[in-house]
């Protein structure tokens, strides 16, 4: 089954404690991205990757890092989480730029930073 | 300033009637638009798309209309069903790319 898998689904952490949210896709997609969803703001892109070892900032990259060492994995790293990073996070993957294609989303990770 | 706006946070419709969800955008460079549906505790799922070379695209009960001069698109669901109750996001990109800008979403409730 084609899917994007995020872990964990729920996470409560304390300010400053480094954390990683994993994302894996099994569709051999080139393009992967991370979004955060906040009330009234919709989904805002944090980082994206067009292929292995190619990453770039989205609209709200501050406080986040990503890496793309393998095509299937695109972890999101919060080196020093702060309460304003409390949000619902989604990883997405898609075939690539050409022709414009829809993205497949993971089920989301609800992060609370206290 | 939001480039993609969905000015109705919520909408209630009777089962069997038409649901119309609206989306406005400010960036005239947007050339590819999508609608996603999101149920609670799930990720968004793709619903329907339209490119700027078209003004209408249909897929079963779902039709998207694009008015480029007004920078407006709408999603019509006919007939509406209770299972359509979800949050609907409008998204747009430039250069048929993958960096989508999402609207804030509209929560649709279809009442039996």
């Amino acid at each position: 089954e084609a899917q994007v898998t995020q872990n964990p689904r729920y996470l409560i952490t304390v300010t400053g404690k480094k954390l990683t949210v994993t994302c894996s896709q099994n569709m051999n997609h080139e393009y992967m991205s991370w979004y955060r969803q906040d009330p009234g703001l919709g989904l805002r892109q944090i980082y994206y990757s067009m292929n292995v070892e190619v990453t770039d900032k989205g609209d709200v990259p501050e406080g986040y890092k990503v890496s793309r060492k393998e095509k299937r994995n695109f972890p999101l790293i919060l080196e020093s989480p702060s309460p304003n990073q409390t949000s619902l996070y989604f990883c997405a993957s898609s075939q690539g730029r050409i022709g414009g294609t829809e993205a497949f989303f993971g089920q989301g990770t609800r992060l609370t930073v206290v | 300033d939001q480039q993609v706006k969905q000015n109705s946070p919520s909408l209630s419709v009777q089962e069997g009637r038409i649901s119309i969800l609206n989306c406005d955008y400010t960036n005239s460079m947007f050339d590819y638009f999508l609608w996603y549906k999101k149920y609670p505790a799930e990720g968004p799922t793709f619903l329907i798309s339209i490119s700027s070379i078209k003004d209408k695209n249909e897929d079963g009960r779902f039709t998207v209309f694009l008015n480029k001069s007004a920078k407006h698109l709408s999603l019509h669901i006919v007939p509406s069903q209770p299972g359509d109750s979800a949050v609907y996001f409008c998204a747009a990109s430039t250069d048929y790319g993958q960096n989508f800008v999402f609207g804030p979403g509209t929560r649709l409730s279809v009442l039996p």
Side-chain angles (χ1 to χ4, degrees), chain A residues 3 16 67 69 84 89 92 104:
Chain A
Q3 59 185 5
S67 69
K69 293 184 170 52
N84 65 11
Y89 291 86
F104 292 81

Side-chain angles (χ1 to χ4, degrees), chain B residues 83-96:
Chain B
D84 296 329
S85 297
V87 176
Y88 289 78
F89 291 100
C90 171
S93 73
T94 59
D95 197 26
Y96 291 88

